[in-house]
Amino acid sequence: MPLNTQQAEDDGQYVLVAKLDNARNMSTILKAVHFKEECLNIFGSSSTPGSTTALRMCYAGYGSPLVLMLEEGGVLTNCSIKTQEPDETLDFNFCSTNVINKIIMKSECLKEAFNELDMTSEILQILMSPDKPYFRLSTFGNAGSTHSDFPKESDMVEAFNCTQTQTNRYKVSLLKPSVKALSSSVRVSIRTDNRGFLSLQFMIKNEDGQVCFVEYYCAPDEDMEEDYDS
């Protein structure tokens, strides 16, 4: 029975029912959150124009498996995935009213900058300021210090709202998972609050032109700040 003709009363046994006409949209989001790509083929890999995989995802509650039902070209596939105990979710308490600096830029510019940074460095230092150099990324690796500056007048910078000079350091190992989201995005919003916490919000367009957002938070590394300042 095609997914779009399955009876609505079947949904009553689930606490969650989600449906997508194109399951590859789900794949786009999962790629951005550091999901293993070999696991994503289940959402359809056909390159035939106009061919899509419909998805129906159901969950009956705690202890129940996640049920995926996919339809492509009249062929139905049912999957039942065991669920695990989730890790405790950290609350960064990142409030927009406490944001001091915010920059929105085209992702292409930040991708190039990340590729040029010295990744032998344990930390990435981010400077945001209403004055020059405005926005600077710095690393301190085996080859010495490297800096990438971005003027606020650049065509790549779409919005620049910095109220005070702020310099914070973040562990590169904690930022690396965000690179996948960056590579899939078209724009990125970079924000820091009064504690130095970093928010990276990536705008991603899927195959249908719909827009979704993936957001990463990272706390400043206080131990490394003390080491580099001493």
Side-chain angles (χ1 to χ4, degrees):
M1 184 187 301
L3 294 184
N4 57 3
T5 63
Q6 291 197 1
Q7 304 204 2
E9 54 263 26
D10 293 342
D11 296 347
Q13 59 183 306
Y14 299 111
V15 298
L16 168 70
V17 176
K19 301 176 183 178
L20 284 175
D21 292 332
N22 187 355
R24 290 181 63 83
N25 292 340
M26 176 68 74
S27 175
T28 300
I29 298 174
L30 293 177
K31 283 182 181 178
V33 294
H34 213 59
F35 206 86
K36 289 185 177 180
E37 294 194 20
E38 61 265 26
C39 299
L40 300 178
N41 291 333
I42 190 176
F43 294 109
S45 57
S46 175
S47 58
T48 305
S51 176
T52 59
T53 302
L55 168 67
R56 184 171 182 263
M57 183 166 54
C58 307
Y59 178 60
Y62 182 81
S64 301
L66 179 67
V67 179
L68 302 178
M69 289 167 277
L70 302 107
E71 178 188 9
E72 181 177 6
V75 179
L76 295 177
T77 303
N78 293 331
C79 304
S80 181
I81 304 173
K82 290 183 178 180
T83 54
Q84 299 178 338
E85 291 286 344
D87 294 330
E88 183 179 356
T89 303
L90 295 176
D91 183 6
F92 285 87
N93 193 28
F94 194 95
C95 180
S96 59
T97 56
N98 295 327
V99 170
I100 293 177
N101 297 316
K102 176 181 178 180
I103 298 174
I104 299 176
M105 61 194 309
K106 295 177 181 178
S107 297
E108 178 186 351
C109 183
L110 200 59
K111 292 174 193 175
E112 293 178 359
F114 269 46
N115 288 335
E116 295 174 358
L117 292 175
D118 184 355
M119 288 296 109
T120 63
S121 174
E122 293 184 16
I123 63 103
L124 172 66
Q125 179 175 281
I126 299 178
L127 180 148
M128 302 173 76
S129 173
D131 305 309
K132 290 183 178 180
Y134 303 117
F135 180 44
R136 169 178 285 178
L137 303 178
S138 302
T139 53
F140 308 90
N142 297 337
S145 302
T146 61
H147 307 283
S148 295
D149 293 345
F150 305 84
K152 66 178 181 179
E153 301 86 2
S154 169
D155 292 338
M156 292 292 179
V157 177
E158 299 188 353
F160 184 90
N161 298 291
C162 293
T163 60
Q164 72 179 54
T165 300
Q166 194 177 37
T167 302
N168 298 291
R169 294 187 173 106
Y170 308 91
K171 284 186 177 179
V172 169
S173 60
L174 298 179
L175 291 175
K176 278 185 177 179
S178 69
V179 173
K180 280 201 172 184
L182 174 63
S183 63
S184 301
S185 66
V186 292
R187 289 181 180 83
V188 57
S189 170
I190 306 163
R191 299 182 296 165
T192 53
D193 67 6
N194 53 357
R195 304 165 300 167
F197 278 61
L198 174 69
S199 164
L200 297 173
Q201 187 181 71
F202 303 98
M203 188 178 83
I204 299 172
K205 289 185 178 180
N206 60 33
E207 293 180 351
D208 297 336
Q210 297 175 332
V211 173
C212 63
F213 294 91
V214 175
E215 192 162 14
Y216 279 83
Y217 295 101
C218 189
D221 196 280
E222 297 178 356
D223 292 338
M224 286 191 172
E225 286 184 8
E226 293 176 358
D227 292 341
Y228 278 84
D229 292 337
S230 59

